[in-house]
Amino acid sequence: MTAATGRTRASGIADALVATREAIAAACRSTGRRPDDVRLVAASKTVPVEVLEQALDAGQSVFGENRVQEAAAKWPALRERRPDLELHLIGPLQSNKARDAVRLFDVVQSVDRLSLCTALAREIDRQQRSPRLLLQVNIGEEPQKSGVAPDDLPELVGACTRLGLDVTGLMCIPPAGRSPVAYFERLVALADAHDLRERSMGMSGDYADAVRHGATMVRVGSSLFGSRPPLRTEGAG
Ligand SMILES: *Cc1c(COP(=O)(O)O)cnc(C)c1O
């Protein structure tokens, strides 16, 4: 990459961050919310370190990764330079990677089953490090998607309480190709019912809608970083 294209891309990311923050603020204003109540999580799967540095330089400090191994390769060095960094796991987590997840992440958004909760509780105790946890809800009840079924959420919340886990909210990925609004409303109702303050919902195509319907975190990737090469599986690991 030449210096010129490097500069162009850096200003492109800075501009995209400004535009996204403005769109979030506008969605907040239109519904009487405070822009400070919504966190922009930059979804950075497949984004290389030099581009992440540009995003950090442009003032973004909250990032979401889908894979434990990819995060382990990219983030420890960046974190040394930027202690204010906040790293979220937004992709599915296997229980046998709970140790690495507890070590690497500040927030795990994809907690969705008892066996994983048990593994996380053990590692949190062992490492004396407590990432905040969100429970991922399979809000459209799609067989191929991860996430706890809405009907099984009360039981999982109860199990987390018994394990002493710090569950702060819910996350969802609504079904593709349909209006997400009813799913956003359903997630908010579930979060309210369990007194959970964080609602992680909304991606590049629908984050303004998500904010208007109560998101406290939006996970935005392609509209910040450009389109990604297709993944074989969306984020296992
Ligand atoms: C990739 C990803 C996003 C961001 O998606 P975009 O459409 O690129 O904004 C958000 N959430 C999860 C769980 C993802 O895997």
Side-chain angles (χ1 to χ4, degrees):
M1 179 166 63
T2 67
T5 56
R7 259 197 311 280
T8 307
R9 183 145 73 161
S11 65
I13 288 168
D15 290 349
L17 280 164
V18 169
T20 305
R21 291 186 181 291
E22 279 174 0
I24 291 170
C28 284
R29 278 194 301 273
S30 75
T31 48
R33 302 186 63 201
R34 298 182 329 140
D36 286 356
D37 292 343
V38 181
R39 323 203 68 200
L40 171 59
V41 180
S44 53
K45 58 177 173 266
T46 77
V47 176
V49 167
E50 57 273 20
V51 178
L52 298 175
E53 285 172 343
Q54 293 166 2
L56 286 163
D57 289 346
Q60 178 65 25
S61 60
V62 186
F63 294 83
E65 286 283 347
N66 283 64
R67 291 166 182 264
V68 172
Q69 267 172 315
E70 184 180 343
K74 283 157 56 175
W75 286 100
L78 292 168
R79 207 192 263 284
E80 292 207 349
R81 287 181 25 198
R82 287 290 297 268
D84 61 321
L85 195 79
E86 190 177 288
L87 195 58
H88 295 222
L89 179 64
I90 60 175
L93 177 61
Q94 296 164 13
S95 297
N96 64 9
K97 294 193 179 142
R99 177 169 306 182
D100 291 334
V102 168
R103 181 170 54 82
L104 285 164
F105 293 97
D106 304 296
V107 180
V108 177
Q109 297 204 8
S110 49
V111 180
D112 64 354
R113 60 196 187 279
L114 181 59
S115 57
L116 178 57
C117 293
T118 308
L120 287 168
R122 191 167 48 229
E123 280 309 317
I124 286 166
D125 188 46
R126 197 201 309 254
Q127 298 184 35
Q128 294 296 302
R129 191 171 190 281
S130 299
R132 304 192 299 285
L133 306 177
L134 273 60
L135 302 181
Q136 181 173 352
V137 181
N138 187 353
I139 202 72
E141 303 184 62
E142 298 171 278
Q144 81 283 10
K145 270 218 182 125
S146 34
V148 59
D151 286 349
D152 296 336
L153 180 64
E155 197 180 320
L156 192 62
V157 171
C160 289
T161 304
R162 286 191 295 280
L163 287 164
L165 292 174
D166 183 18
V167 174
T168 60
L170 302 179
M171 180 269 247
C172 75
I173 307 171
R178 267 182 270 169
S179 167
V181 166
Y183 300 102
F184 294 154
E185 288 174 344
R186 190 166 189 206
L187 193 81
V188 168
L190 290 170
D192 284 346
H194 293 283
D195 217 5
L196 297 169
R197 70 177 181 280
E198 300 285 4
R199 302 92 193 258
S200 174
M201 54 191 204
M203 318 201 327
S204 289
D206 56 16
Y207 67 87
D209 262 337
V211 169
R212 281 190 288 270
H213 288 86
T216 62
M217 295 179 184
V218 294
R219 311 175 308 268
V220 179
S222 47
S223 67
L224 296 177
F225 299 114
S227 55
R228 292 176 295 272
L231 295 177
R232 272 172 299 128
T233 59
E234 190 67 15

